[in-house]
Amino acid sequence: MLTALESGVKGGVWFSLMDKVYAPGNLHSAFERVHQNRGSAGVDHQTVGQYVHGLEERLDHLHEALRDGRYHPQAIRRTWIPKPGSTEKRPLGIPTVQDRVAQTALRHVLEPIFEREFAEHSYGFRPGRGCKDALRRVDALLKAGYTWVVDADIKGYFDSIPHEPLMERVRRRIADSRVLALVQAYLEQDVLDSMEQWTPDEGCPQGAVISPLLSNIYLDPLDHLMAKAGYEMVRYADDFVLLCHSEAQAHQALELVKRWMDEAQLTLHPTKTRVVDATQRGGFDFLGYHFERGYKRPRKKSLAKLKETIRGKTQRTNGCSFTTIVADVNRTLRGWFEYFKHSSKGELRALDPWIRMRLRSVLRKRLKRKGRAHGWLDHQRWPNAYFAEHGLYSLNAAHVSARQSPCG
């Protein structure tokens, strides 16, 4: 198959792929990826840890079911998770472990076929690419003078992808009827939400292994259309921006996107989609960062999510030792900083005092004092050096160090 990818197949269409999907080696590799990702149990209540027991027998059974056409995916368990920095929630679909293994095996086969044709500046859910690559591209374009930005938002993208147009795009490269039937079966998996169950007639469930690839397949023609028209588009899954030299060009690009969305049966969010001058006050958000007047920093929702997490770890009633609390806080801060260390100078400086205030409030409670820490007495009891001695991670110090490092 890899050799064929290099030389190409007749007409660019693949006719015999199902045997690659159910190949024992592929199923074992697929399970390893599912095992690494862990995840919750599906409607059968079986966890990844439980699936490991009797693994060979389970994979043999899955191999035979896929080979003989007896495999049918189970319903997806729907759960609702909070949107960062918001009171709203978004739906997440959780397939069973067995379905995740089968979907991963299918993705292993389909991804190389479509990946070689995907647009250069599409970064979401693609091998060897990630958020930071997309952010670097946006940063470079802004510095090159592309400061008029179409900040686009597709309304409910994953839940609104129309099935038949999506399948038509898959069929342009895949002619194996059994593989196509498998893709169709995943699109039409029943959804179980509490006691309610239904069959969706549109959308790809967020949380399903195959959905990111299918979502990229559906938006890929837009990537190529904008590139052919001469517009600089940076896309990560359904989150994308267009960067232009002038306001007129930005509005022209937006009109082209709107026409394509209409034809694709998708909708741009009417209030969240806008044209922005990045050199002026206001700016725009992209992948957790806020870009404005040559600076970038964590967007408000990213800061709100961090503070919400820190508040949970530094409640005054926390009964853990102070050393344990600091270690727990540090784990969050290190992970958060690794993503936001590319913020402009000074943007993270205000967070350290706020975190120390939260920790002083914990210490204050242990002295039987009410309320949160404030004033010079609390600072005198527990100066900044006290927290440094306990190993508290400093975002500002880490930021200064990262900016001085050649690799930062």
Side-chain angles (χ1 to χ4, degrees), residues 70 117 138 245 408:
R70 293 182 287 105
E117 296 182 354
V138 169
H245 278 301

Side-chain angles (χ1 to χ4, degrees), residues 19 48 99 183 221 228 249 275 300 323:
D19 60 319
V48 176
D99 288 341
V183 174
K228 186 177 180 180
Q249 188 184 42
V275 171
K300 290 180 180 179
T323 300

Side-chain angles (χ1 to χ4, degrees), residues 152-164:
D153 185 278
I154 306 175
K155 189 175 181 180
Y157 174 60
F158 278 87
D159 289 333
S160 60
I161 300 174
H163 288 175
E164 183 49 36

Side-chain angles (χ1 to χ4, degrees), residues 2-68:
L2 290 173
T3 302
L5 278 172
E6 292 298 323
S7 59
V9 293
K10 188 175 181 180
V13 180
W14 294 76
F15 288 87
S16 181
L17 292 173
M18 193 63 189
D19 60 319
K20 281 80 173 176
V21 175
Y22 61 68
N26 188 24
L27 293 179
H28 275 85
S29 177
F31 172 74
E32 288 302 319
R33 293 190 70 168
V34 171
H35 188 262
Q36 290 171 8
N37 293 333
R38 308 301 295 178
S40 303
V43 294
D44 61 355
H45 307 293
Q46 186 178 65
T47 65
V48 176
Q50 292 169 331
Y51 194 87
V52 172
H53 300 292
L55 177 63
E56 292 303 322
E57 184 179 347
R58 294 184 194 278
L59 293 183
D60 284 346
H61 175 75
L62 179 58
H63 162 79
E64 292 170 1
L66 286 165
R67 182 193 63 196
D68 300 340

Side-chain angles (χ1 to χ4, degrees), residues 9 53 67 69 85 88 92 96 124 172 175-176 202 216 229 232-233 236 245 289 295 301 303-304 346 350 367 382-383:
V9 293
H53 300 292
R67 182 193 63 196
E88 298 179 23
L92 185 67
T96 64
R172 291 173 187 173
D176 187 319
E202 63 181 5
N216 273 336
E232 295 289 350
M233 178 172 170
Y236 189 96
H245 278 301
Y289 274 85
Y295 295 92
K301 287 185 177 181
L303 290 171
L367 292 181
W382 305 291

Side-chain angles (χ1 to χ4, degrees), residues 321-342:
S321 71
F322 189 69
T323 300
T324 300
I325 294 174
V326 169
D328 194 21
V329 167
N330 282 350
R331 280 191 289 272
T332 295
L333 295 179
R334 286 193 176 95
W336 191 86
F337 176 75
E338 182 58 32
Y339 187 77
F340 289 105
K341 65 183 179 182
H342 303 289

